Structure formats: structure tokens, C-alpha cells
């Protein structure tokens, strides 16, 4: 296989509250011989909130990010479902609406940039599965995750709406997603089948509709625990933040104790590929997770 | 089996009669399913060949009356539009027919849709205008005006998006995607005079657009491919454009993204909470903040948490300039 090269759009969380996401992503890339160029010029994707305030401005700023991947001539990979959604929505809007593309490019010209539409955008999860390949990953496993029942939590913005994502997520069906399950199997872990795996974590209304947010998180966490999961794994750092950080308060809403580690997808892969404890960064979790490193090896 | 014209399968169905049953139960029905069979054909077969008491709503059989919306293994479907073999393939020949909302079930697939219709009525889903009984000419719409309301005008009120919405499930006050799409449909109509009223209603905390959790279940569920969440985003934008949006935690959260982006290019995760909630609202987050600090999720910088802890993107001035020349809305 020729060497895979990507432009990495880190998003805000990997640069702030989830440094473990960035370090584990880079560790996985290094173990697999994938070349990563970090787009240090890329700004926030707007996380769907800036889009609510000013949709046109959000398109301009996302188009600017994509311009930098185009300059490298590389596919842009994301490590956050919401970055993936918003970047892909801008790409889709501009590629299908010449008038909007012209209006956005008029703004970008003011800073010497032009959106062309030449770079694809895909989440790292699907780069691993569809470009690198599960069999090739399986060959690189040094620490099989066979001791663990792992509950995959897909996160909305990688799988819905399917028409937007189908060209970059291997045609994943949002009602029966399989990619994370298959990845867990390739790492020799045991995927947990539970009905909340493709549901919403409630992150986006954490501030203004706290009860809704807590109930949605609670439903997912409890479902994973009741199906005997040792840990959850998600490709989205926003799902991770909501589900890892708020287990105390969510437990009060659900009326029971909730304790389960929630790993980022690259952390799980890094663990199986034998990355260092530092790179995997389990110490950054609010819900204790460091024991997983010792238990795995 | 997959190659033959028909497939012999066991179909499961949710059964419940609110008048006689304490709990719902599941029954199984064996049948041959052909390649052109719709989910509606399966339900007809249950009723006509197995159990005449099996109940479900159906009328037009042409995807236009919206009566036969149900769920299959949790997936919202319009029974007269959904091919059965496709579903059997998707769910490995193991499918259960369910009502759109189990907690609203009256009899089998039939639910009490009262909440749906009430919310629909709340947004005044019609053109509000003073009509001249003897007009001299038609009230014309340009192609652009027509396209702005299409595709939201294609809604058949089947309830697929409404009963797929997890925000509604958790908060019964929320208007939900179908009513919000109707609110958009008539607010964007140039002949209508109730736009401001609708935008005020849909701006209300707990009721309006700000309770949308952005899961895109509605976009996935809609059998008419209307994409309700896209209309919800348009309503958000219209609230700012028309000066309806009031300063509250939700609107500040949306607008506040620009504060961090102007400073560093990134969202400032700590500042956005402080700015949206205000100093007095911060007590809700102290416990979480302490935990995040302990694990290193929140960084200290120069002895102060939250502030200036974020790296700066390269070419930040481009982002600043683009915000300056492209921003159209204000709070």
C-alpha cells in the first residue's frame, strides 16, 4: 500500500479540553505509517452554533479551512463528528450552489484564498477503515483488547444525514451502523450491541436545555452499562466530553450510579497498537480510566 | 433465498389495546414477502390473513395522506412507501413493526397524535392575511419566493420526524421538527402577516428552536426529504436577521463563538460558558470545572484558569478580516 497522507483538521477540543485526542491520533498515525500534516491555519468550524447565528459567515470560515487542505492537495481528515458535519455541509453547499460559491469566494479573495472544491473531507475513523483497511490494522495489533466489552457510540454527526455523508463514510447506514463495531473486532475487543449506539448524547443543548441534555446522555450511558460494557468508545470529542465529564450529575437525573470510562476512538486504537501511556492520555479523563492501560497489557 | 422472487420470513408486531391490555406484547406472523411488497402490504397481510383485529391507520397508499407512519426496528417509515425487502436486508430478516410512539399507543400501530396536532396548531400553519373578498388581481409569487417555501410545503404531517425527535421525547414542551418546519413554511411566505408572532414563539426557551439537539434524526426520518433541521437553522438565522432574538444563554452561546474566533481562531471553550451564562450563572458549572481542572481538561495559564490558555491559529488576521467583511447578523 502506498503511504497515506492527510491534512488534519484538529478542531477546537483537541487543542483545548481533550489534548489526549490529538496525541492519540498522532500516535495511531505514526504506528500505521500515515503521514499527517496538521492544518495549523484552520479555525473553529462553528460547531453548528455559529451556523445558527450567521449561516453565511460560517460557510465563509469553513471554506477557508478547506482551502488550506486544497493547497496541500490532500484529503482533509477530521477527528470530531461535528467538525466533519459542518465542513462537509459547507463543501456540499458550495459544490452544489454556484451562486453561493461565488459569494463565498468573493469574501475569500479579500484574504487571497479561493475555494475550489478539490479536497475530500472524511473522519479519521473512515480513513482508517476505508483507506487503511481493517485487515491491515489487525496485523499491527500488539495489545489485543480481548479482555474488554466495548460499547461503540457513533455520534450523530458522522452518520446523519446519510445523503451528506455517504461518500465519505463508506455508506454507513445510520440505523445499523457497523464501522466502530468492526474496528473493535479488528482490535480483538468485544463490541457491545445496544440500542443507544446511534443516538444523540445531548451535548449541543448542555447550556440552554440542560435537562434534555442530561436525559439523553443518561439513556446512552445506562444502556451501555446494562449491556455489560467495560468502556464506551466514540469518534466524537463532544460526545466524549458530555459523557465523560457529567456522569455525576447525569446519575442524579437517572436515579442511579453511573461509572464507565468513555474513550476517544483513536485512544482505543492507540491502546491496541501499543502506544505509550502518555500518548493515550487516559489521565485526562474525568471518569477514571487509567486502569484500562494496565488491564490491557 | 435472496435470489428468489419471494422470501419466507417471520414478521414481529407490537400488539396493544389500551382498553383491555395492561402491557403491550409482541406477536409473530409467518409470511412470504415479494420484492415489490411494501410495509403496508405486510400489515394488510397480518390483518387479512392472520388476525382481523390488528389495527393501523392507512388511506391513500400513495405517500401523500401521511396516515401510515410507523417505526420498524426504531426506523421511522411511511408504510406505503417503504419497500419491505430493503428493510429485511437492512435488519437481517428480523423486523418488528412498532407504533411511532409506544407511550402514545392506543391500539397496535395506532397512536394518539394529539400532541402533534396541538403543536402544529400552535404555529398557525396557514397564511395569516387580510383577504379582500373581491380582489382585482391574484396575489402573485415569484419563482424565488416559491422556491423559498418549497420543500417545506411538501410536508404531509405523517409525524415521522416528530416521533423520531429525542429532544421532544425528553421535553414535551418543545415544538419539534414538524411544527417548526410549518412555522418556517408560513413565515417565509410573503403573503403572510404573522411571521413576527411565529418567530417570537419559536424563539422561546424550552418551546422553540433553541431546544433542538442537532441530532439530524428528523432529516433522516422524513419520507418527503424535507430536511426539517435545515428549516430550524433558517428560523434561528431569521430570529437574528429580524431582531427577534433576545439576549439569553442560547443566543449568546451561538453569537459568542465569534469572541474566541476573533481572538485566537478557535472557540474559547471556557469563555463561551462564562459569556453565555453570565457570572451569576456560573455556579452551575463550578463542580464540573473543578473536576475538569483536576484531570487537566481545563488548563491553567499564568495562574489563571480559563483565560488566554488557547494557542493561536496561523494567519489569524484572515479569520478576523473575514468575520469583519462577511458577518451579516447581530445580537
Amino acid at each position: 500500500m502506498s503511504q497515506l497522507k492527510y491534512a488534519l483538521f484538529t478542531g477546537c477540543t483537541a487543542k483545548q479540553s481533550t489534548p489526549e485526542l490529538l496525541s492519540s491520533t498522532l500516535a495511531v498515525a505514526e504506528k500505521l505509517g500515515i503521514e499527517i500534516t496538521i492544518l495549523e491555519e484552520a479555525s473553529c468550524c462553528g460547531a453548528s452554533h455559529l451556523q445558527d447565528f450567521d449561516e453565511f459567515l460560517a460557510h465563509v470560515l469553513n471554506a477557508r479551512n478547506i482551502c488550506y487542505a486544497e493547497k496541500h492537495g490532500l484529503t482533509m481528515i477530521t477527528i470530531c463528528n461535528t467538525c466533519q458535519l459542518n465542513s462537509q455541509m459547507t463543501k456540499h453547499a458550495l459544490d452544489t450552489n454556484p451562486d453561493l460559491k461565488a459569494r463565498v469566494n468573493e469574501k475569500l479573495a479579500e484574504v487571497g484564498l479561493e475555494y475550489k472544491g478539490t479536497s475530500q473531507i472524511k473522519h479519521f475513523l473512515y480513513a482508517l477503515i476505508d483507506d487503511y483497511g481493517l485487515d491491515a490494522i489487525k496485523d499491527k495489533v500488539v495489545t489485543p483488547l480481548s479482555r474488554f466489552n466495548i460499547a461503540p457510540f457513533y455520534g450523530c454527526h458522522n452518520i446523519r444525514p446519510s445523503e451528506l455523508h455517504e461518500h465519505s463514510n463508506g455508506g454507513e447506514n445510520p440505523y445499523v451502523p457497523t464501522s466502530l463495531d468492526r474496528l473493535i473486532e479488528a482490535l480483538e475487543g468485544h463490541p457491545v450491541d445496544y440500542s443507544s449506539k446511534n443516538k444523540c448524547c445531548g451535548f449541543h443543548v448542555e447550556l440552554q436545555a440542560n435537562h434534555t441534555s442530561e436525559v439523553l446522555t443518561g439513556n446512552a450511558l445506562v444502556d451501555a452499562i446494562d449491556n455489560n460494557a467495560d468502556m464506551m468508545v466514540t469518534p466524537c470529542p463532544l460526545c466524549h466530553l458530555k459523557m465523560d465529564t457529567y456522569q455525576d450529575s447525569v446519575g442524579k437525573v437517572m436515579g442511579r450510579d453511573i461509572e464507565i470510562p468513555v474513550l476517544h476512538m483513536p485512544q482505543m486504537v492507540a491502546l491496541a497498537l501499543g502506544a505509550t501511556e502518555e500518548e493515550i492520555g487516559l489521565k485526562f479523563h474525568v471518569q477514571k480510566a487509567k486502569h484500562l492501560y494496565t488491564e490491557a497489557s | 433465498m435472496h435470489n428468489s422472487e419471494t422470501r419466507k420470513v417471520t414478521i414481529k408486531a407490537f400488539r396493544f389495546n389500551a382498553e383491555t391490555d395492561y402491557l403491550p406484547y409482541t406477536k409473530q406472523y409467518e409470511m412470504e414477502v415479494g420484492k415489490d411488497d411494501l410495509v403496508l402490504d405486510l400489515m394488510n397481510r397480518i390483518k387479512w390473513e392472520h388476525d382481523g383485529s390488528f389495527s393501523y391507520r392507512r388511506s391513500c397508499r400513495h405517500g401523500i395522506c401521511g396516515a401510515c407512519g410507523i417505526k420498524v426496528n426504531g426506523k421511522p417509515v411511511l408504510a406505503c412507501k417503504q419497500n419491505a425487502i430493503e428493510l429485511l436486508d437492512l435488519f437481517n430478516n428480523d423486523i418488528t413493526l412498532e407504533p411511532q410512539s409506544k407511550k402514545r399507543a392506543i391500539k397496535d400501530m395506532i397512536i394518539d397524535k394529539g400532541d402533534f396536532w396541538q403543536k402544529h396548531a400552535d404555529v398557525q400553519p396557514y397564511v395569516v392575511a387580510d383577504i379582500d373578498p373581491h380582489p382585482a388581481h391574484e396575489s402573485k409569487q415569484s419563482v424565488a419566493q416559491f422556491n423559498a417555501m418549497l420543500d417545506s410545503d411538501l410536508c404531509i404531517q405523517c409525524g415521522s420526524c416528530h416521533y423520531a425527535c429525542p429532544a421532544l421525547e425528553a421535553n414535551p414542551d418543545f415544538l419539534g421538527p414538524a411544527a417548526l418546519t410549518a412555522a418556517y413554511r408560513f413565515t417565509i411566505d410573503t403573503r403572510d402577516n404573522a411571521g413576527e408572532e411565529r418567530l417570537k414563539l419559536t424563539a422561546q426557551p424550552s418551546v422553540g428552536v433553541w431546544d433542538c439537539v442537532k441530532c439530524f434524526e428528523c432529516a433522516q426520518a422524513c419520507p418527503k426529504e424535507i430536511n426539517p433541521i435545515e428549516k430550524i437553522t433558517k428560523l434561528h438565522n431569521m430570529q437574528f436577521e429580524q431582531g427577534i432574538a433576545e439576549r439569553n444563554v442560547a443566543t449568546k452561546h451561538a453569537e459568542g463563538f465569534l469572541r474566541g474566533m476573533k481572538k485566537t481562531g478557535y472557540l474559547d471553550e471556557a469563555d463561551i460558558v462564562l459569556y453565555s451564562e453570565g457570572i451569576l450563572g456560573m455556579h452551575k458549572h463550578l463542580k464540573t470545572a473543578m473536576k475538569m481542572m483536576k484531570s487537566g481538561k481545563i488548563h491553567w495559564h499564568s495562574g489563571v484558569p480559563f483565560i488566554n490558555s488557547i494557542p493561536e491559529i496561523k494567519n489569524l488576521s484572515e479569520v478576523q478580516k473575514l468575520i469583519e467583511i462577511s458577518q451579516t447578523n447581530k445580537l
Side-chain angles (χ1 to χ4, degrees), chain B residues 52-64:
Chain B
S53 74
F54 182 64
S55 304
Y56 49 103
R57 290 194 179 106
R58 76 282 193 196
S59 179
C60 78
R61 210 189 196 285
H62 284 86
I64 198 66

Side-chain angles (χ1 to χ4, degrees), chain A residues 283-286, chain B residues 290-298:
Chain A
K283 68 175 180 189
F284 289 108
H285 289 223
V286 168
Chain B
M290 294 303 285
K291 275 191 267 175
M292 290 177 82
M293 238 178 276
K294 208 174 136 198
S295 69
K297 270 183 158 34
I298 289 177

Side-chain angles (χ1 to χ4, degrees), chain B residues 312-327:
Chain B
E312 210 174 85
I313 61 163
K314 272 192 197 164
N315 305 353
L316 172 63
S317 60
E318 292 174 7
V319 167
Q320 292 165 335
K321 168 98 181 170
L322 288 172
I323 293 172
E324 191 189 309
I325 61 173
S326 313
Q327 183 175 346

